[in-house]
Amino acid sequence: MAEAEKNIADGAAGKPGTPRGAFVLAGVAAIAIAAVVYGIIAVGGKETGTGNCAVSEAGLAPLRAAATGDVAGLTVSKVMKPATDISFDGPDGTRKTLADFKGKTVLLNLWATWCLPCRAEMPALDQLQAKLGGDHFEVVAVNIDTARLEKRQAFLDEAGVKSLGFYADPKAAVFQTLRQAGKVVGLPTTLLIDSRGCELGIMSGPAEWASEDAQRLIRAATALKPGT
């Protein structure tokens, strides 16, 4: 196992004389102002998110309700914010970023041929893409093998994967970036991202992505209305 694969597998002080209470009140006020300005807590506490990713709790309710059964492992974001900036190779070999998928809900999955749970869930991801993939949704499964690269396509062929586009990062930089952001600790990891590029939730470990539960989750995600 290459070194990168081994790493993946291992998976206030104030001025003298100033009353302490003044600092506490000032700090609380600053937090409250920042929360309202940046959308972390909207007036009335009815929204969650930062900047363009703000969404009402009522708007997120269908998604939370859909994260059950075979996809109960999805942790829906408590504070909506832009997904971590990453890049990887697209099916045509050109470099892609999440910005290239704006307008689509994306299920971003990280996998490797040496990861047995990844291999097991790849056919299900392929079926999900075949059933729901299109102008409004795509499964973006990014392979992060760093050695024996010829095994990647061979595995997909053997697994009968036909609907997934082939995305890859042979340097595994995408994994390292997401790990540093606290998003990934091992494989497989799947992130659900809305059409604005905002992170809806994270799944650590495999799931039955071809199930009715998974399809219900994706339909709930694609039906979300930004800013509502």
Side-chain angles (χ1 to χ4, degrees), residues 77-93:
S77 300
K78 292 182 179 180
V79 178
M80 293 281 288
K81 56 186 176 181
T84 304
D85 187 25
I86 55 174
S87 63
F88 43 86
D89 296 333
D92 61 357

Side-chain angles (χ1 to χ4, degrees), residues 74-151:
L74 182 85
T75 300
V76 179
S77 300
K78 292 182 179 180
V79 178
M80 293 281 288
K81 56 186 176 181
T84 304
D85 187 25
I86 55 174
S87 63
F88 43 86
D89 296 333
D92 61 357
T94 61
R95 205 65 178 166
K96 298 287 186 181
T97 69
L98 291 177
D100 293 311
F101 299 89
K102 286 287 183 68
K104 281 187 178 184
T105 299
V106 168
L107 192 70
L108 178 76
N109 175 271
L110 302 187
W111 71 281
T113 58
W114 46 264
C115 165
L116 294 181
C118 302
R119 294 170 67 96
E121 77 172 354
M122 197 57 56
L125 286 166
D126 188 59
Q127 292 176 49
L128 179 62
Q129 174 64 21
K131 292 177 180 178
L132 299 183
D135 293 339
H136 302 293
F137 171 70
E138 183 174 351
V139 176
V140 178
V142 182
N143 175 271
I144 59 170
D145 280 57
T146 60
R148 298 183 181 182
L149 303 185
E150 71 281 358
K151 294 177 62 177

Side-chain angles (χ1 to χ4, degrees), residues 17-42:
T18 302
R20 182 178 178 184
F23 285 109
V24 174
L25 291 175
V28 171
I31 292 172
I33 292 171
V36 172
V37 170
Y38 291 102
I40 299 172
I41 306 172

